[in-house]
Amino acid sequence: MKMISNEIIEAYRKYLISEEKAPATVEKYIRDIRAFARWLGEKEWDKEAVLQYKSFLCGRASPASVNSVISSLNSFFAYGGRPELRVRALKVQRQVFSKEERELSKAEYERLLKAAKQKHNERLYLVMSTICSTGIRVSELRSITAEAVRRGRAEIRCKGKCRTVFLPDALCRMLSRYLREQKRKSGPVFVTKNGNPLDRSNIWSDMKRLCRSAGVNEKKVFPHNLRHLFARTFYTIQKNIVRLADILGHSSVNTTRIYTTESGEIHRRRIQCLGLLRC
């Protein structure tokens, strides 16, 4: 079979939607398939080509990124009735510690909040506060509604699953005040000037604009890192990874472990304190 046509890709998109995949997941899968189609060009759509593409990716992306693309491709091949084209994911040993240059610290988070206040961007201040104090995904922010604020909890539906997220009292007070100022009594708390729910691109770009004034490396500043900060903080206090997985909406604690990995510096200090050396 030659060429992956737009018709096939759009049919696959409809299939993903019918499977109730999250919008961000659908777009990610489609993006991966289109990238493969561009690379494929006039080549035969066969196992050899898929293996070549896998090698191509390995030379240009991290193992985790390669595996993410492989997951998209394998799903597409299964949908297209070509399961024999599926390839194995790379084996990746779980990291003992996280990269400090990528993890947002609590102090850096507080500087971002301060910068948002100084720029009089109350909406962004509250968006960051909401994600970081609840651990929700940025795509789930639209579930934080005026009704949820009044109840003190939000019902989150994501990836075919439902879970209840409790909103801290202090957050409810801040959001209630914001809603009164905006003269809104229903619907999503965070909306654009046109009344549409904020999306990740709005939030991502707004956060990036805070980096210089906050003195935070922009590589650390993106919405999902706030979720990671929540997870690390919760786990440090509670030490209950199963409970944390439930709060974050993870199906597997193996995913949650990625969020709770400590920094290399903390890991180094723990090793230093083992007391197994005699000088």
Side-chain angles (χ1 to χ4, degrees):
M1 183 184 294
K2 289 186 177 181
M3 301 290 293
I4 299 176
S5 67
N6 282 328
E7 289 76 11
I8 294 174
I9 294 175
E10 288 307 311
Y12 177 58
R13 181 197 296 275
K14 291 178 181 178
Y15 162 76
L16 292 174
I17 294 172
S18 72
E19 289 291 300
E20 300 185 56
K21 298 293 185 184
T25 300
V26 173
E27 292 308 314
K28 190 268 179 193
Y29 275 36
I30 295 300
R31 193 163 56 246
D32 289 343
I33 302 308
R34 289 194 185 281
F36 174 60
R38 286 194 299 272
W39 177 88
L40 191 65
E42 298 293 330
K43 293 180 183 177
E44 187 74 22
W45 185 16
D46 57 18
K47 186 63 171 279
E48 183 180 355
V50 179
L51 290 172
Q52 287 176 0
Y53 187 59
K54 179 180 177 181
S55 296
F56 168 79
L57 292 174
C58 287
R60 290 163 175 76
S62 68
S65 296
V66 173
N67 284 344
S68 178
V69 174
I70 287 174
S71 177
S72 301
L73 292 176
N74 285 346
S75 170
F76 177 68
F77 297 146
Y79 160 78
R82 301 292 303 279
E84 73 279 5
L85 298 185
R86 291 179 294 186
V87 294
R88 293 181 180 179
L90 302 177
K91 291 184 178 180
V92 182
Q93 182 176 341
R94 187 168 68 87
Q95 290 290 329
V96 176
F97 50 84
S98 61
K99 296 179 180 179
E100 290 181 65
E101 65 271 17
R102 293 286 293 173
E103 292 294 347
L104 188 70
S105 70
K106 186 176 180 181
E108 289 168 330
Y109 160 66
E110 290 173 347
R111 294 208 300 272
L112 289 171
L113 289 179
K114 183 178 179 181
K117 267 198 170 182
Q118 290 173 340
K119 291 179 179 293
H120 306 290
N121 193 336
E122 185 179 14
R123 186 182 69 182
L124 181 58
Y125 178 93
L126 291 173
V127 164
M128 293 191 296
S129 298
T130 300
I131 296 174
C132 202
S133 65
T134 61
I136 62 172
R137 300 174 177 89
V138 66
S139 61
E140 297 169 341
L141 199 62
R142 63 182 59 209
S143 295
I144 307 300
T145 62
E147 295 83 354
V149 172
R150 287 194 290 271
R151 290 193 304 266
R153 66 182 186 277
E155 303 302 323
I156 305 287
R157 291 173 175 79
C158 182
K159 299 184 178 181
K161 297 174 290 186
C162 300
R163 75 184 193 281
T164 299
V165 172
F166 288 94
L167 309 179
D169 291 344
L171 178 65
C172 288
R173 289 193 293 271
M174 290 192 293
L175 296 181
S176 294
R177 184 172 61 250
Y178 176 72
L179 286 165
R180 286 196 299 272
E181 292 171 354
Q182 298 294 312
K183 295 180 170 57
R184 288 191 287 112
K185 296 182 179 180
S186 63
V189 173
F190 303 111
V191 296
T192 64
K193 291 180 180 179
N194 296 326
N196 298 317
L198 284 182
D199 62 27
R200 71 179 66 237
S201 61
N202 300 133
I203 300 167
W204 189 90
S205 57
D206 283 351
M207 287 182 65
K208 290 294 184 183
R209 281 193 280 268
L210 296 178
C211 295
R212 179 172 294 182
S213 57
V216 180
N217 187 334
E218 68 172 21
K219 291 182 179 179
K220 297 183 176 185
V221 181
F222 49 92
H224 199 68
N225 242 4
L226 298 173
R227 180 167 152 90
H228 276 245
L229 178 56
F230 168 87
R232 292 199 313 276
T233 305
F234 180 94
Y235 185 72
T236 298
I237 297 171
Q238 300 293 333
K239 299 297 185 194
N240 189 334
I241 198 166
V242 174
R243 179 66 183 131
L244 178 57
D246 290 339
I247 292 172
L248 295 176
H250 289 158
S251 299
S252 169
V253 294
N254 288 329
T255 303
T256 313
R257 285 195 181 98
I258 298 171
Y259 286 61
T260 59
T261 307
E262 62 191 11
S263 72
E265 177 58 26
I266 293 175
H267 181 70
R268 187 186 68 80
R269 290 204 298 266
R270 293 190 192 281
I271 294 295
Q272 298 276 34
C273 294
L274 291 178
L276 296 176
L277 292 174
R278 291 292 179 267
C279 299

